[in-house]
Amino acid sequence: MENLKNIAPIEDFNWDAYENGDATTTVSKEDLEKAYDSTLSKVNDREVVDGTVIAMNKREVVVNIGYKSDGIIPLSEFRYNPDLKVGDTVEVYIENQEDKKGQLILSHKKARATRSWDRENEEIIKGYIKCRTKGGMIVDVFGIEAFLPGSQIDVKPIRDYDVFVGKTMEFKVVKINQEFKNVVVSHKALIEAELEQQKKEIIGKLEKGQVLEGTVKNITSYGVFIDLGGVDGLIHITDLSWGRVSDPREVVQLDQKLNVVILDFDDEKKRIALGLKQLTPHPWDALDPNLKVGDHVKGKVVVMADYGAFIEIAPGVEGLIHVSEMSWSQHLRSAQDFMKVGDEVEAVILTLDREERKMSLGIKQLKADPWETIEEKYPVGSKHVAKVRNFTNFGVFVEIEEGVDGLIHISDLSWTKKIKHPSEFTQIGADIEVQVLEIDKENRRLSLGHKQLEENPWDVFETVFTVGSVHEGTIIEMLDKGAVVALPYGVEGFATPKHLVKEDGSQAQLDEKLPFKVIEFNKDAKRIILSHSRIFEDAAKAEEKAEKKAAKKASSKKEETPMIQNQAASTTLGDIDALAALKQQLEGKK
């Protein structure tokens, strides 16, 4: 105990306070609390502060904000940031500094939402694509639901939106409406600027004739868009294949990689024209060198026009069959009357120009030309049935068979009828019997007749309608120069106005039936001139003549035949024939 030094106690130590549990009396409890609180961050409820991730598991993230206790945030609030790790600084929203358990209540989602309205549009942010919606996608950005339009997902058209659901991507805020809490974001805007720079670099290196690899990006009815790696080019439908293409999908498919050649480009508009067919030899160069005029070829009709049909005999090798080479017939017709697109046809090569890459074909040459043996098949005098094809004022065009045409002159239609237009006699499409009158081989035309199939009735008419004979007729047409009169046997005659005067001085009218005397008959011209007036005029003259003759006889031979004198004096029109008979009787007695 000797070695122990006497240590004096603190003079002002408050033993009473110590016994009551207080450790010191120099510093009050309030001061100690103030000193402790000053080491902690000052935080307020409903405030956004930065914190540090100090621990995390599969469900929760522990965040230290410098407060007396740490806060716990569900990991789901960080799904937009799968790279989150211990030590990262995150923004949190203080919901409550202490709950019933004394726990600090934080929210990362609300912190993001609160600060989102203050961020600038140009900021690049991360977002989690939650689901599809009409016109686009719903994206979790700063804990709020933002809208990502379908057109703003990528620079190329999106064919499957579902593949983006659940992805975390970078976005650019393009529109904020704080009043309605609406946010519109774009991913496309981020890559467009980068692509624009890439385009400039690519276009700067482009050369005509350059071959590049590209990917089929889009297919339209007029061509195919190719992605050349940040810049697009178009293969027009005509540059896909040497053959005709009706649908580009026959040649390429989406996402297909292929080599293309640059045909042309526009620095200003950044349009690039590409070609696919140019990478293969032209089919004309591979055409059989032994093919020549006169050879038969087979092909498919690929294009139809009124003037002809284009036949593809090999991909990219076409020949034209002009409509005039489809039939020996000379009638104007449309090529559609002979064939249609898709038909397989055989044809004869008529012309072949390898340099110009042109070929003309014919199908009528597969049949013999009917005019080669025309004299044998249709000799003069032979009779046939033809089809009426067309009319002219001077006759009827007919076709005896395909390629063999003929003309029936209007004067050769009928022996008796005066035909003003062929339509009065027949109709287009009708069959008509003909006789070959003449062959014009050089002009490929036959002269035909229809009336020649019957006997010429004018040979008979010559004996019936003799000059002076009287026949009953009906006026069927009145003209300035006279009237057409229908006579027996279907023949017609003509009477001038002065020959239409009746005995009472009146003029004969249309449809009037009267006796007419033949005053002229012309067999070659088939003309009969008639007169009604001559009947009573000639009768009067005959009576006058008879009276004069009778008077003369009476004065010279009073003693002879008084009976004749008396009879002559009373002769009428009806007695002329009786006088002639009497004369014969007297001469017979002598």
Side-chain angles (χ1 to χ4, degrees):
M1 297 294 289
E2 291 178 359
N3 294 331
L4 294 175
K5 292 180 179 180
N6 290 327
I7 300 171
I10 300 172
E11 291 181 5
D12 57 352
F13 186 80
N14 190 340
W15 290 100
D16 293 333
Y18 177 75
E19 287 179 2
N20 292 331
D22 290 336
T24 179
T25 57
T26 58
V27 183
S28 68
K29 185 175 181 180
E30 288 77 8
D31 291 339
L32 286 172
E33 285 179 351
K34 285 179 182 178
Y36 173 69
D37 287 345
S38 66
T39 66
L40 301 175
S41 299
K42 295 287 189 293
V43 295
N44 299 309
D45 288 350
R46 294 183 294 281
E47 184 180 18
V48 177
V49 297
D50 288 334
T52 304
V53 177
I54 59 172
M56 55 191 294
N57 58 30
K58 291 182 179 180
R59 295 191 309 277
E60 296 171 330
V61 176
V62 181
V63 178
N64 177 11
I65 63 169
Y67 191 56
K68 60 185 177 182
S69 62
D70 297 325
I72 296 173
I73 300 172
L75 182 64
S76 61
E77 292 192 19
F78 293 94
R79 62 184 172 185
Y80 73 93
N81 183 10
D83 300 325
L84 185 71
K85 62 186 182 298
V86 172
D88 285 354
T89 299
V90 295
E91 52 193 1
V92 294
Y93 177 84
I94 301 169
E95 296 208 53
N96 197 337
Q97 294 180 45
E98 285 186 27
D99 63 2
K100 292 178 181 178
K101 297 178 182 179
Q103 179 71 53
L104 174 66
I105 306 301
L106 303 177
S107 170
H108 178 58
K109 183 176 180 180
K110 285 187 178 180
R112 293 168 68 215
T114 303
R115 284 192 175 176
S116 68
W117 306 110
D118 302 324
R119 294 178 190 267
E120 296 200 9
N121 290 3
E122 296 301 318
E123 187 176 349
I124 296 173
I125 53 173
K126 275 190 177 181
Y128 173 80
I129 299 178
K130 291 175 66 176
C131 60
R132 282 193 64 177
T133 188
K134 185 178 180 182
M137 317 292 282
I138 297 296
V139 182
D140 183 344
V141 179
F142 305 138
I144 63 170
E145 290 187 342
F147 177 60
L148 171 63
S151 62
Q152 295 300 312
I153 297 176
D154 206 336
V155 289
K156 55 188 176 185
I158 303 299
R159 291 189 286 277
D160 184 7
Y161 288 86
D162 291 331
V163 298
F164 292 93
V165 175
K167 279 191 175 182
T168 298
M169 299 169 69
E170 287 187 332
F171 299 99
K172 179 179 177 183
V173 178
V174 294
K175 184 179 179 183
I176 293 179
N177 187 327
Q178 297 200 27
E179 183 181 350
F180 297 104
K181 303 293 188 216
N182 287 341
V183 178
V184 179
V185 296
S186 170
H187 178 68
K188 176 182 176 182
L190 293 177
I191 56 178
E192 276 182 334
E194 184 182 346
L195 285 177
E196 198 62 34
Q197 186 59 35
Q198 286 181 13
K199 280 184 183 180
K200 287 180 181 177
E201 291 177 11
I202 293 172
I203 289 176
K205 296 175 184 175
L206 289 182
E207 292 179 11
K208 291 181 183 178
Q210 188 177 3
V211 178
L212 300 171
E213 186 184 55
T215 305
V216 177
K217 179 178 178 181
N218 194 18
I219 300 175
T220 69
S221 59
Y222 55 85
V224 178
F225 286 94
I226 304 293
D227 183 353
L228 299 173
V231 62
D232 291 347
L234 172 67
I235 308 175
H236 193 268
I237 189 169
T238 56
D239 289 314
L240 282 171
S241 168
W242 290 113
R244 291 183 188 260
V245 178
S246 57
D247 185 348
R249 289 172 182 81
E250 298 170 6
V251 183
V252 298
Q253 57 191 25
L254 282 172
D255 301 324
Q256 179 183 350
K257 290 189 180 297
L258 41 80
N259 287 333
V260 291
V261 61
I262 296 175
L263 303 179
D264 200 2
F265 55 86
D266 185 331
D267 288 328
E268 291 180 13
K269 296 182 181 177
K270 301 182 177 63
R271 289 183 180 174
I272 305 172
L274 304 173
L276 184 63
K277 72 180 183 183
Q278 288 80 1
L279 295 174
T280 59
H282 197 289
W284 270 89
D285 298 334
L287 192 63
D288 183 356
N290 297 319
L291 210 60
K292 62 187 183 302
V293 171
D295 285 352
H296 288 209
V297 291
K298 289 184 179 178
K300 183 188 286 187
V301 179
V302 288
V303 173
M304 288 297 306
D306 286 341
Y307 59 84
F310 288 92
I311 313 299
E312 187 176 63
I313 65 169
V317 180
E318 295 176 9
L320 171 66
I321 306 179
H322 194 271
V323 68
S324 62
E325 301 299 340
M326 292 183 177
S327 166
W328 289 110
S329 174
Q330 292 177 299
H331 297 292
L332 291 174
R333 289 161 79 177
S334 173
Q336 279 90 347
D337 295 339
F338 298 94
M339 57 189 70
K340 63 183 183 300
V341 171
D343 283 356
E344 297 282 348
V345 297
E346 182 179 357
V348 177
I349 298 176
L350 304 181
T351 65
L352 182 60
D353 188 334
R354 291 177 185 271
E355 288 185 10
E356 291 290 327
R357 293 173 174 168
K358 289 182 179 178
M359 181 189 306
S360 63
L361 307 170
I363 58 172
K364 73 181 184 184
Q365 290 78 7
L366 298 171
K367 300 177 185 176
D369 182 355
W371 280 89
E372 291 297 323
T373 56
I374 197 73
E375 294 96 344
E376 299 169 21
K377 196 167 184 181
Y378 301 103
V380 172
S382 60
K383 297 172 184 177
H384 311 276
V385 175
K387 192 169 287 294
V388 176
R389 288 295 183 194
N390 199 10
F391 290 148
T392 68
N393 289 330
F394 55 82
V396 182
F397 285 103
V398 299
E399 188 177 56
I400 301 180
E401 68 163 83
E402 188 178 296
V404 180
D405 297 332
L407 171 68
I408 309 171
H409 194 272
I410 196 166
S411 63
D412 288 318
L413 286 172
S414 172
W415 288 111
T416 56
K417 292 182 182 176
K418 284 187 170 52
I419 300 167
K420 294 177 183 175
H421 191 272
S423 58
E424 299 171 13
F425 188 83
T426 184
Q427 58 189 15
I428 291 173
D431 288 335
I432 187 169
E433 289 186 276
V434 294
Q435 181 174 321
V436 179
L437 304 180
E438 190 181 330
I439 298 173
D440 183 353
K441 194 169 184 177
E442 186 178 340
N443 293 311
R444 302 170 78 90
R445 181 63 53 84
L446 299 175
S447 291
L448 305 170
H450 174 70
K451 70 182 185 183
Q452 287 78 3
L453 296 167
E454 302 171 356
E455 282 189 29
N456 187 351
W458 286 87
D459 294 338
V460 178
F461 295 160
E462 192 174 23
T463 64
V464 175
F465 299 101
T466 55
V467 174
S469 60
V470 178
H471 307 272
E472 193 173 72
T474 302
I475 298 172
I476 59 171
E477 189 176 1
M478 295 297 291
L479 305 169
D480 292 341
K481 294 182 179 180
V484 179
V485 180
L487 296 170
Y489 311 111
V491 73
E492 293 174 357
F494 187 78
T496 57
K498 72 175 185 176
H499 290 293
L500 293 171
V501 179
K502 295 196 284 188
E503 195 168 0
D504 61 3
S506 64
Q507 195 79 8
Q509 300 298 312
L510 185 68
D511 296 330
E512 198 167 346
K513 186 181 285 186
L514 298 167
F516 288 91
K517 178 178 281 191
V518 178
I519 57 176
E520 183 187 334
F521 181 90
N522 187 324
K523 178 181 172 182
D524 295 331
K526 301 179 185 61
R527 185 171 65 236
I528 302 174
I529 304 299
L530 304 169
S531 174
H532 170 68
S533 308
R534 284 279 185 91
I535 292 176
F536 59 83
E537 287 173 355
D538 289 352
K541 286 178 182 177
E543 184 177 356
E544 186 181 341
K545 188 177 180 181
E547 287 178 355
K548 285 180 179 177
K549 188 177 180 180
K552 188 177 180 182
K553 281 188 178 182
S555 61
S556 61
K557 295 183 180 180
K558 285 185 180 179
E559 69 283 357
E560 288 185 21
T561 59
M563 182 181 66
I564 294 173
Q565 257 184 348
N566 295 337
Q567 198 166 349
S570 60
T571 299
T572 63
L573 178 61
D575 295 331
I576 295 174
D577 290 341
L579 286 170
L582 182 59
K583 183 180 179 185
Q584 287 180 355
Q585 185 182 347
L586 291 172
E587 288 176 351
K589 285 182 181 179
K590 287 181 182 180

